[in-house]
Amino acid sequence: MSCTLYLVRHGIAADASADADDKDRALTAEGTRKMTRAAIGLKQLGIAPDVILSSPLRRAQETAALLAETLAPNVAVEIYQPLAPGTAAAELVRDLRPYRAVHHLMLVGHQPDLGELASHLLTGSVALAPLPFKKGAVAAIDVSSLPPRASGVLRWFLTSKQLGNIAGR
């Protein structure tokens, strides 16, 4: 069964600080505004995820909540530990087995992990074609199954600004 994976990098977050734990960094007002516009752009494209998985870090959870509110108000965001920074792409993909019946799966995480995950899904290697996810960027990748047994197909890759332009505001 085929699935479209939407890989989403979190929006603009507060700067790292020696006084605060990185996992607690929140979206800034600008990050919230831009992600809301990006979500509206995704809605204009007809994107409606069946499941939204988020990194446990606050900025990713806030991004996932904004996306859920706009794209799938009846879908609860699930915290997915393998989306935390540093998880190997092959491990993350293998752990998607419980979602094998899902047609549209949104994963909200971090860079460089998402770029490496995209490369792994498309080529089987994290190093051959890592996508340069800017904050708020989204890639749509079709795979034949979860976990994928063959290379996926990149449908599109858009920045937050491009999605905001699609939103028309």
Side-chain angles (χ1 to χ4, degrees), residues 13-157:
D15 291 334
S17 148
D19 300 338
D21 194 328
D22 181 61
K23 68 179 174 32
D24 297 325
R25 290 175 41 218
L27 293 182
T28 63
E30 179 185 16
T32 298
R33 181 181 57 77
K34 286 184 174 184
M35 278 312 307
T36 299
R37 288 193 54 188
I40 294 168
L42 289 168
K43 187 172 185 162
Q44 293 287 349
L45 292 173
I47 307 307
D50 304 312
V51 174
I52 301 173
L53 303 179
S54 173
S55 156
L57 278 62
R58 180 176 176 181
R59 57 194 177 270
Q61 289 184 50
E62 290 176 350
T63 298
L66 288 170
L67 292 164
E69 181 181 324
T70 302
L71 302 174
N74 297 323
V75 172
V77 173
E78 298 177 37
I79 303 306
Y80 189 63
Q81 193 62 41
L83 284 167
T87 302
E91 179 184 338
L92 189 153
V93 168
R94 183 185 64 243
D95 290 345
L96 290 175
R97 185 175 310 275
Y99 302 96
R100 64 182 167 264
V102 174
H103 292 286
H104 301 277
L105 179 59
M106 186 167 277
L107 306 173
V108 182
H110 310 274
Q111 188 65 350
D113 301 307
L114 286 176
E116 293 171 357
L117 174 60
S119 180
H120 176 76
L121 291 167
L122 297 171
T123 70
S125 165
V126 296
L128 283 177
L131 295 184
F133 281 84
K134 292 185 178 190
K135 291 178 178 122
V138 182
I141 299 175
D142 288 335
V143 294
S144 59
S145 63
L146 285 178
R149 291 185 293 275
S151 295
V153 175
L154 180 64
R155 289 183 49 208
W156 48 261
F157 181 47

